[in-house]
Amino acid sequence: MTKTEHQETTLITGSTKHDYEVKTGAVNVPIYASSTFDQQSFDSFGPFDYSRSGNPTRDALEKTIAQLESGTRGFAFASGIGAISAALLTLSAGDHIVVTNEVYGGTYRLVTTILPRFGITHSFADFTDVDAIENAIRPETKVLYAETPANPLLSITDLNAVIALAKKYDVKTFVDNTFMTPLYQKPLDLGADVVLHSATKFLGGHSEVIAGLAVTKDETLGNAIYTIQNGLGGMLSPHDSFSIIQGIKTLSARMELSSKNALKIAQFLQQQDDVLDVYYPGLPSHPGYKTHQAQCTSAGAVLSFKLPDRAFTKAFVEAMQVPIFAVSLGGVESILSYPATMSHAAIPQAEREKRGITDGLLRLSVGLENVSDLIADLSQALEVASSVYTK
Ligand SMILES: *Cc1c(COP(=O)(O)O)cnc(C)c1O
């Protein structure tokens, strides 16, 4: 990459300019569907020997994400949770992590039910409150685990403040950057140690593949994650690596349109009587607005909003025509989700409600449909729900 190259260019050139492409000039990285590689010499092996350890298609994706996140090493896994668990398994028995309260449901399950069996303990803290994080740090703490904007209330963590705190206590900062992607937020540039992605979401962008990515800058940490990737075997297949590479190429066009439309939708929802609250970091009324503006270049394509209760929400969802009603986010299609029983089903109800994930909360990942059609759809569904709803 030349020093002056922009992110939008790297999205394309990241995978199109690798050495092994020079031979044919193929503009798309070939899917190297090969588990093993013929070695030309008896005593000096080529760059690839076995596809669990390394595969040229996966390598092109890993180099691309490393470049996009300003890291030195990228790692592709069979899922976002695969990437997150690999990063956390660089820890050892006796280590402790401080995790954001508003953490992805699958990460919650990992840190509360699986890691403790291996002696890796955790505390949750409100990551919008730096004092609360500091209070949760113990002598054995090794990692502060952040997610911003967080899911599903789009809370904002001040990354500079958390990273400064981590450095003060000599612990590492891991950041789940799924919602922003490297286009809009670059945690490693701010001093974070590991950036994690569910590439299933915006990076892939077409709801066709489950994939995860981890990126590091530090060589030792990079080697530690590589050891887990190769040693536990959760790496991404060449076919799925190819899909994510293709998705990354259109990321800026998709994100730009979806984010622009998300703002319009958030503004529309804010004006509706039956919408009790709108959570979107692009609205000046959002408590994290200023912090988000300072560390990101867009508010992204995901927003949440609160309807009166479960009955209203059910009628509303059943009346919606355009978005799919499903788990996941970041696709070309708009995706409406019900966090209480979908993304956050792994969190017990009492705990869930304490975190603001109530029975009237919906999350909308804005896709590439015409925004007037989406707004008209929301508008008619609100009307239907309010007419069937009796207070
Ligand atoms: C979906 C998601 C994950 C988990 O990724 P998978 O690809 O589903 O394993 C992690 N973090 C966030 C923020 C997510 O949205």
Side-chain angles (χ1 to χ4, degrees):
M1 182 176 74
T2 59
K3 276 259 180 315
T4 54
E5 188 170 299
H6 294 90
Q7 293 260 77
E8 292 84 350
T9 307
T10 311
L11 294 172
I12 312 296
T13 59
S15 63
T16 51
K17 300 283 184 189
H18 285 295
D19 289 350
Y20 33 82
E21 261 53 75
V22 172
K23 293 186 198 107
T24 63
V27 65
N28 293 307
V29 179
I31 299 172
Y32 285 89
S34 192
S35 58
T36 188
F37 299 83
D38 180 39
Q39 303 304 326
Q40 313 259 310
S41 139
F42 178 76
D43 50 16
S44 94
F45 291 172
F48 301 100
D49 60 4
Y50 188 60
S51 275
R52 172 160 38 71
S53 317
N55 172 281
T57 315
R58 195 175 89 222
D59 187 59
L61 170 60
E62 292 177 331
K63 289 204 163 99
T64 301
I65 193 64
Q67 203 178 334
L68 287 167
E69 287 285 9
S70 307
T72 57
R73 303 279 294 277
F75 304 95
F77 293 88
S79 69
I81 278 295
I84 293 164
S85 58
L88 290 174
L89 284 170
T90 59
L91 300 178
S92 303
D95 292 346
H96 171 260
I97 53 182
V98 181
V99 184
T100 173
N101 264 341
E102 212 179 314
V103 72
Y104 174 73
T107 309
Y108 178 90
R109 179 170 46 214
L110 171 69
V111 302
T112 57
T113 71
I114 299 173
L115 295 184
R117 292 200 288 110
F118 300 92
I120 300 166
T121 58
H122 60 275
S123 303
F124 287 106
D126 176 359
F127 268 49
T128 64
D129 177 355
V130 182
D131 292 339
I133 305 172
E134 186 160 18
N135 288 337
I137 294 176
R138 301 179 191 168
E140 63 273 25
T141 300
K142 293 285 160 38
V143 169
L144 306 183
Y145 188 96
E147 210 178 299
T148 184
N151 187 17
L153 297 175
L154 287 300
S155 307
I156 303 304
T157 293
D158 182 341
L159 287 177
N160 282 314
V162 171
I163 290 162
L165 185 65
K167 292 199 189 302
K168 178 174 162 193
Y169 287 90
D170 195 25
V171 304
K172 294 193 158 46
T173 311
F174 290 10
V175 180
D176 184 329
N177 201 23
T178 299
F179 275 40
M180 282 294 102
T181 83
L183 267 189
Y184 296 153
Q185 178 168 268
K186 304 270 287 255
L188 294 181
D189 280 346
L190 303 178
D193 299 282
V194 179
V195 169
L196 297 155
H197 285 284
S198 170
T200 311
K201 315 294 168 53
F202 292 104
L203 295 173
H206 297 78
S207 306
E208 63 185 11
V209 167
I210 301 280
L213 298 167
V215 186
T216 58
K217 202 173 220 166
D218 174 72
E219 200 54 32
T220 308
L221 196 48
N223 289 337
I225 293 182
Y226 178 71
T227 300
I228 301 292
Q229 185 192 41
N230 191 35
L232 292 188
M235 75 294 162
L236 192 64
S237 76
H239 298 77
D240 289 347
S241 297
F242 177 81
S243 290
I244 302 296
I245 288 170
Q246 298 299 75
I248 284 176
K249 290 176 184 174
T250 58
L251 181 69
S252 79
R254 288 184 286 107
M255 282 299 272
E256 205 176 304
L257 181 57
S258 289
S259 304
K260 199 172 86 184
N261 291 348
L263 177 61
K264 287 184 187 156
I265 289 170
Q267 287 165 339
F268 163 81
L269 288 171
Q270 239 186 349
Q271 290 157 8
Q272 308 308 305
D273 291 340
D274 288 324
V275 177
L276 309 181
D277 238 322
V278 180
Y279 307 88
Y280 182 63
L283 294 174
S285 57
H286 189 288
Y289 177 76
K290 283 216 173 79
T291 305
H292 187 80
Q293 295 282 309
Q295 66 195 15
C296 298
T297 52
S298 165
V302 181
L303 58 101
S304 291
F305 53 101
K306 196 181 273 179
L307 298 178
D309 63 10
R310 190 178 184 280
F312 190 105
T313 306
K314 181 174 189 300
F316 173 85
V317 168
E318 287 172 355
M320 283 294 289
Q321 304 287 317
V322 179
I324 62 163
F325 180 56
V327 297
S328 201
L329 55 99
V332 295
E333 61 286 305
S334 290
I335 304 176
L336 187 62
S337 319
Y338 189 49
T341 57
M342 290 180 167
S343 55
H344 292 67
I347 303 179
Q349 182 175 2
E351 190 57 37
R352 185 161 57 66
E353 286 184 0
K354 214 167 74 190
R355 292 169 189 219
I357 306 162
T358 59
D359 287 344
L361 188 75
L362 285 170
R363 187 186 71 198
L364 181 64
S365 167
V366 180
L368 302 180
E369 302 91 346
N370 182 288
V371 69
S372 317
D373 292 344
L374 285 170
I375 289 174
D377 196 25
L378 289 161
S379 177
Q380 66 78 25
L382 282 170
E383 235 167 84
V384 170
S386 109
S387 70
V388 300
Y389 177 66
T390 45
K391 282 210 165 97

